[in-house]
Amino acid sequence: MPLQTFDNLPEDKRQRIIDCAVDEFAQHDYASASISKIVAKAGIAKGSLYQYFNDKTDLYTYLLDLVSQTKAKMMAKAFRQENRMPFFESLLALFSVMASFELQYPKLAKIGYKATSGKSPLPEDLLIKGKQATIQYFVTLINQGKATGEIRPDIDAEIAAFIFVSALSEMGNFVSMKTGIDKNIEDSGKPTPAQLSEIERLYQQVIMILKNGIAN
Amino acid sequence: MPLQTFDNLPEDKRQRIIDCAVDEFAQHDYASASISKIVAKAGIAKGSLYQYFNDKTDLYTYLLDLVSQTKAKMMAKAFRQENRMPFFESLLALFSVMASFELQYPKLAKIGYKATSGKSPLPEDLLIKGKQATIQYFVTLINQGKATGEIRPDIDAEIAAFIFVSALSEMGNFVSMKTGIDKNIEDSGKPTPAQLSEIERLYQQVIMILKNGIAN
Amino acid sequence: MPLQTFDNLPEDKRQRIIDCAVDEFAQHDYASASISKIVAKAGIAKGSLYQYFNDKTDLYTYLLDLVSQTKAKMMAKAFRQENRMPFFESLLALFSVMASFELQYPKLAKIGYKATSGKSPLPEDLLIKGKQATIQYFVTLINQGKATGEIRPDIDAEIAAFIFVSALSEMGNFVSMKTGIDKNIEDSGKPTPAQLSEIERLYQQVIMILKNGIAN
Amino acid sequence: MPLQTFDNLPEDKRQRIIDCAVDEFAQHDYASASISKIVAKAGIAKGSLYQYFNDKTDLYTYLLDLVSQTKAKMMAKAFRQENRMPFFESLLALFSVMASFELQYPKLAKIGYKATSGKSPLPEDLLIKGKQATIQYFVTLINQGKATGEIRPDIDAEIAAFIFVSALSEMGNFVSMKTGIDKNIEDSGKPTPAQLSEIERLYQQVIMILKNGIAN
DNA sequence: CATGAATGAGGGTTCATTCAT
DNA sequence: CATGAATGAACCCTCATTCAT
């Protein structure tokens, strides 16, 4: 975890450091990500970074946490009041939240994505945790749907959840392939309205197919 | 392309080198994959590798080719005689082939998987080509299915194909999560019969869901 | 150009690094000069050198600049007040300066010398520039001498200048052959008075011959 | 010295090897010259070269000998019958021979030239020997000229000889600068007649200046 | 708390040389 | 006598990390 000195930093400086670190880890492996380049871009001394974080792994862990928390925050905002929706509305909402996350924080999404594959300095369990947590959330929803009869009873909740999450996490790549929006471009302007409506269509089609796949 | 010296190598030695290289590139980025570690594991001199391959990129390209060709070989074997099957049988067969590939050559699958995302020394087009080619194959199948009325006409073939491929390529991770078979373990013994039947069930469930998702 | 970190270095350390680099590049090609040997001799870490210079070429360029500037400084000191001297006095002065340079900084002279022939990482033009600049300086002097009637009009200024420069640049080798002063020896003590007077005689003889060669 | 196996080689093959070695050592330092590239160009096995020569130094020594012998052969041919010429005719002849050598065997000349400066695996004395031998030859001639009264008695024979040799050895570079003939170009066609006459003029000017420099 | 120079291990690559075939 | 794969030291360069200021 970051040392307390990091929290004492002026807001803009702290944010600048985070941004540069996110940029770097979104583009490279854990191993290939370069501390030197992060501090260079952020305009801080190399030693300073080691007063905020114990080491490279510490910084990386911090970013992974940032991914989880940001996603969680979006979830929380979306699901604040509505406790009980029909399943497919819940699903749509959830799906929509995660899609928004991909669109709003493409680099964070990429970091989380990279973390699930390939060796990393963190215990494997910790890494998969993120994905499994998401899957579990879907599993819960699906089981509720089965209880209300909205979903066919012969559906294996975990497998269905897995397909949903997979499609979702790959969606980002597909979107950029189809729309030409490169998630890696740093100063990517906002997507155009035309692109946004195309993205909207992509997500609805996906949801429709998956819905048909499991609906009763 | 590898130098001819590589082909002249005794079979076991050549295979050992390939295995070690596959191990390394399956676990790491192109950038982080270490030639030094490969030769150390393979028990050859560092200079020797450079008599087999021009450079790191050359070795990497060779592995990517190995991925394509291995997959192609499995496809060829599976689709030899049956030119025209009902769509969902074709799909099942195709899906089954790719699943087998993931199971039999998990590391090769991982290398191909890594190649489609993140920076690499190869022209981006060449890299995405693999995935897009697979998607196109599914698109063709789906369009045929729409023509024969097996698939609902309002399905966007490309999106459906994308979901299939995504689920497929992520499946490996899911399988190892569920069965405890670690794809990264080098000397992974064969999966037990119990594991195999569980895997079988997973794939069939996935296919069922996807089939329901698009069937007429 | 060297990074600013190099200028911030304690004088003695900076000088030690320069000396070792000069030693190495005076003895070897650009290609064969070894960074590893430089840092070993200088007693610094290999990584440190790369905090002073971007790369090998950067260090080399710095040394070439050092050659030019050192020579220029000696020239400036010698030619401060006397704007218009009779030609052969000018020539003598100039010749004397360059000879002093060869004697005082034999290794720098050697580096500059090497740079004019053989392949190097710098644009060829930039490399020859040094030598050609020197030749041009002589050409100007000689043409002035022709104008004042001191020099025979049928002399080709450029060719004469070339002979002067050639003799000058080879002189160092000759001096060490005759006097036993090895230019390569690092801790060469100062030349003895006897050696100095012999050197003086050598230069005067050379000048005399060349003077007779072109005088009117 | 080369092993006897080298002499047993078919003439064309032996010559091809020599040519490629000359090319390489003319372009690079002793240290940078690459055995690998020589055998690659010559189209022979790397091991073969080590059956002709003990090692890199052996090959290098062989080439240096080739330089001496080629030059000696040209001298011998030029000075066969005429035992006693007036000094300046002797000088002209000698000068002309050495110029011819530079023009006919620019690469050999370059190898010899490189050998006199920079560290090499051979004992320094052996290296300077070549140059000193040439100087001694001039010294003898000049002393004869002094005896016959053609040359001023106050001329230091050794210094004069040194200037001659220096001018001569640098001449090659100057010629290529002025005429655009690159000595390094491998497949350099013959010089044009216009270039040849310019070269002729250059050499005559040089000789004239030097002659005036020492004539009585 | 900020700094940034110092460090040395490790990265990919090339090399002269050897030796079994 | 020809071959060319094997070798490991050395090449230039980058890196995460430390520590004196």
Side-chain angles (χ1 to χ4, degrees), chain A residues 29 32 113 118-119 131 152 154 156 158-159 162 166 170 174 178 201-202 205 208-209 212-213, chain B residues 27 29 32 113-114 131 152 154 156 158-159 162 166 170 174 178 201-202 205 208-209 212-213:
Chain A
D29 233 10
S32 321
Y113 183 66
K119 205 161 223 173
K131 194 158 208 172
R152 300 209 317 276
D154 60 327
D156 181 310
E158 208 170 6
I159 294 177
F162 156 75
S166 298
E170 294 282 352
F174 188 62
K178 293 287 291 179
R201 193 184 68 84
L202 290 174
Q205 272 273 335
M208 187 197 69
I209 292 174
N212 288 336
Chain B
Q27 281 178 355
D29 236 7
S32 334
Y113 182 66
K114 276 184 192 302
K131 193 157 208 171
R152 299 211 318 276
D154 59 328
D156 181 311
E158 208 169 6
I159 294 177
F162 157 75
S166 297
E170 294 283 351
F174 188 62
K178 293 288 290 181
R201 194 184 67 83
L202 289 173
Q205 272 274 333
M208 186 197 69
I209 293 174
N212 288 335

Side-chain angles (χ1 to χ4, degrees), chain C residues 147-166:
Chain C
T148 63
E150 292 167 288
I151 296 179
R152 299 211 317 276
D154 59 326
I155 293 292
D156 181 311
E158 208 169 6
I159 294 178
F162 156 75
I163 295 178
F164 285 22
V165 173
S166 297

Side-chain angles (χ1 to χ4, degrees), chain A residues 5-210:
Chain A
T5 55
F6 189 55
D7 292 331
N8 300 343
L9 241 44
E11 173 58 21
D12 58 342
K13 185 173 186 178
R14 208 178 73 242
Q15 195 55 48
R16 203 174 63 242
I17 294 173
I18 292 178
D19 287 345
C20 295
V22 165
D23 274 6
E24 183 70 11
F25 278 95
Q27 282 179 357
H28 301 102
D29 233 10
Y30 170 80
S32 321
S34 161
I35 295 290
S36 299
K37 279 173 191 158
I38 291 174
V39 298
K41 260 194 203 165
I44 63 171
K46 209 182 277 187
S48 295
L49 198 69
Y50 283 85
Q51 280 183 327
Y52 311 143
F53 300 95
N54 287 318
D55 52 20
K56 193 182 182 181
T57 298
D58 192 27
L59 169 59
Y60 181 57
T61 310
Y62 175 75
L63 294 184
L64 285 185
D65 277 353
L66 188 62
V67 172
S68 308
Q69 285 170 22
T70 306
K71 203 187 283 183
K73 227 175 284 173
M74 291 187 72
M75 293 256 190
K77 195 190 295 178
F79 288 89
R80 209 170 308 145
Q81 56 271 62
E82 9 78 43
N83 275 349
R84 280 288 177 152
M85 296 188 294
F87 168 73
F88 284 109
E89 282 182 37
S90 283
L91 177 64
L92 182 59
L94 178 54
F95 214 89
S96 160
V97 166
M98 298 186 70
S100 297
F101 176 71
E102 288 264 349
L103 286 172
Q104 278 189 37
Y105 306 100
K107 287 171 195 164
L108 289 186
K110 198 147 207 171
I111 291 178
Y113 183 66
K114 275 184 194 300
T116 63
S117 64
K119 205 161 223 173
S120 88
L122 303 180
E124 186 88 8
D125 298 346
L126 191 152
L127 280 179
I128 310 188
K129 210 185 59 181
K131 194 158 208 172
Q132 272 180 331
T134 311
I135 288 182
Q136 273 317 308
Y137 198 96
F138 275 99
V139 165
T140 305
L141 274 189
I142 289 170
N143 281 332
Q144 289 175 1
K146 283 163 85 168
T148 63
E150 291 167 290
I151 295 179
R152 300 209 317 276
D154 60 327
I155 293 294
D156 181 310
E158 208 170 6
I159 294 177
F162 156 75
I163 295 178
F164 284 22
V165 173
S166 298
L168 201 45
S169 74
E170 294 282 352
M171 198 110 225
N173 286 328
F174 188 62
V175 163
S176 56
M177 253 168 53
K178 293 287 291 179
T179 62
I181 300 176
D182 190 344
K183 302 202 306 178
N184 289 329
I185 296 299
E186 290 146 42
D187 40 11
S188 69
K190 306 282 179 181
T192 68
Q195 285 174 325
L196 275 180
S197 93
E198 171 67 4
I199 292 173
E200 181 76 16
R201 193 184 68 84
L202 290 174
Y203 275 98
Q204 282 177 350
Q205 272 273 335
V206 170
I207 291 176
M208 187 197 69
I209 292 174
L210 297 178

Side-chain angles (χ1 to χ4, degrees), chain D residues 43-92:
Chain D
I44 63 170
K46 209 182 277 188
S48 294
L49 197 69
Y50 283 85
Q51 280 184 328
Y52 311 143
F53 300 94
N54 287 318
D55 52 20
K56 194 183 183 181
T57 298
D58 192 26
L59 169 58
Y60 180 57
T61 310
Y62 175 75
L63 295 184
L64 286 185
D65 278 353
L66 188 61
V67 172
S68 308
Q69 285 171 21
T70 305
K71 203 186 284 184
K73 228 175 282 175
M74 290 188 73
M75 293 256 190
K77 195 190 294 177
F79 288 90
R80 213 171 302 145
Q81 57 272 62
E82 9 79 41
N83 274 350
R84 281 287 176 153
M85 295 189 293
F87 168 74
F88 284 110
E89 282 182 36
S90 283
L91 178 64
L92 183 59

